[in-house]
Amino acid sequence: MATETDPRFGRERVGTRPLVAAFIALQAVAFVAAYTYGRPTWYAYFMVGSTAVTAYYLDGSSFTVATATVGSILTVALGLPLFLFVARQNPSLVAEKAADPGVHRVLYLGVYGPLLAAVLSLVLGVPLAHLLAEGFPGQPFVESLVDLPLVVPHSVAGILILFGFGKGGAFPQFSVLGTMFGMVLAMTFVSAPYAVNATRESFEAIDTRLEYASRVHGANKWATFRRVTGPLAFRGMVTGGVLAWARAVSEFGAVAVVAYSVSFFYPPEGGEVTAQHAPVFVYNTYLQGGLAESGAVAFLLLAVSAVIFLIVRYLTDDGSATGGMP
């Protein structure tokens, strides 16, 4: 008789990878069947039920079954709209948009601009994250400033950028309204908290005795950071950079206020071109062309972002993931 402390079957018999592959394949078949019959609700029920059964098979614990079942409800809420969005795309319309040079510029800007913002967030955010990890007087005030963009409405963030750095702002020699610099600045404003907080957590996780040993052996603070602290916190920096990039890709409000359309150097054409940030372009396409056309552009942006995100995750994965359930 199974108990809550003894796994009912044990995944060792099957192996994790085949089990995960089989689960994903089963979900794909179930979704296609439900979508074909016009009953996506059936798939939602199947997803929750199959997750509960799988959790019972893997662990046999009522606690694991309950948490997996409740968690699967959120997974359905997040995943089902995405699956339906992909399934309802018109392939010919997606292909037409994929061949449009104007869309190419938008996609390039939608990746390039956020990349600059992520790099800027890390260059300026890593030193601040290190200070926050070590602590200093007045730290709560600085922490509040860092986290403020997380709660400020994004259109308000754009207005703050214009007040701070626009005409009559702190640096009038730099033009931010309608410029690439302004767009990157707006993206950095909303994405920097992710880079700072993720990097700070990685600094805080380092055993302080390692830094102490480095100092005892004669290394100064610069050398200790370069040889000990920095390498140990590298994964946190990368994670922070990826989060900042992802946040900048999705930014709409601040960019729409500060830099509705920008001119930038576009390598495929060897000169300056003008385009809009991808979320702004998708919104305009929705207003002018409707849901189908905006959905096709959004699909391309989603695909490009997902590929880049997966590549970065793959390159930074140290294989420490165990799959959760022991």
Side-chain angles (χ1 to χ4, degrees), residues 42-288:
W42 292 357
Y43 174 71
Y45 295 144
F46 175 82
M47 175 68 178
V48 176
S50 62
T51 300
V53 171
T54 304
Y56 179 73
Y57 172 79
L58 289 172
D59 190 79
S61 163
S62 60
F63 178 80
T64 300
V65 173
T67 53
T69 303
V70 175
S72 68
I73 296 175
L74 179 59
T75 305
V76 169
L78 297 174
L80 192 57
L82 176 63
F83 299 157
L84 289 173
F85 167 76
V86 174
R88 294 176 63 182
Q89 292 305 307
N90 184 338
S92 60
L93 185 56
V94 172
E96 178 185 336
K97 294 296 180 184
D100 186 347
V103 175
H104 295 169
R105 299 171 187 168
V106 170
L107 294 178
Y108 176 82
L109 182 62
V111 174
Y112 174 62
L115 179 62
L116 294 179
V119 171
L120 185 60
S121 297
L122 284 177
V123 169
L124 302 178
V126 169
L128 179 58
H130 189 262
L131 288 175
L132 291 173
E134 290 196 330
F136 55 86
Q139 181 167 337
F141 175 73
V142 177
E143 289 175 334
S144 300
L145 282 179
V146 170
D147 292 336
L148 187 62
L150 298 176
V151 297
V152 169
H154 297 168
S155 56
V156 175
I159 292 173
L160 292 177
I161 293 293
L162 292 181
F163 268 93
F165 305 103
K167 185 178 181 181
F171 303 98
Q173 65 272 32
F174 296 110
S175 176
V176 296
L177 185 62
T179 65
M180 186 70 185
F181 175 70
M183 190 187 78
V184 173
L185 193 59
M187 291 177 175
T188 304
F189 185 85
V190 299
S191 62
Y194 296 91
V196 173
N197 290 330
T199 307
R200 174 189 175 179
E201 290 178 3
S202 66
F203 282 136
E204 291 176 338
I206 297 174
D207 190 341
T208 55
R209 290 175 295 182
L210 297 174
E211 295 177 307
Y212 177 75
S214 174
R215 298 297 304 278
V216 167
H217 285 82
N220 58 26
K221 285 192 173 183
W222 287 103
T224 299
F225 183 87
R226 180 167 56 87
R227 297 177 178 176
V228 179
T229 312
L232 291 175
F234 180 73
R235 279 185 55 79
M237 297 178 195
V238 174
T239 300
V242 172
L243 292 176
W245 175 81
R247 180 63 192 85
V249 168
S250 64
E251 178 54 29
F252 172 78
V255 173
V257 170
V258 176
Y260 188 78
S261 61
V262 297
S263 296
F264 59 97
F265 180 76
Y266 185 51
E269 296 186 11
E272 291 276 331
V273 299
T274 300
Q276 297 170 335
H277 183 40
V280 178
F281 182 81
V282 170
Y283 179 69
N284 284 333
T285 305
Y286 170 70
L287 293 179
Q288 299 170 7

Side-chain angles (χ1 to χ4, degrees), residues 23-46:
F23 184 81
I24 294 175
L26 182 62
Q27 297 300 320
V29 172
F31 175 76
V32 171
Y35 182 78
T36 302
Y37 284 98
R39 295 288 189 274
T41 307
W42 292 357
Y43 174 71
Y45 295 144
F46 175 82

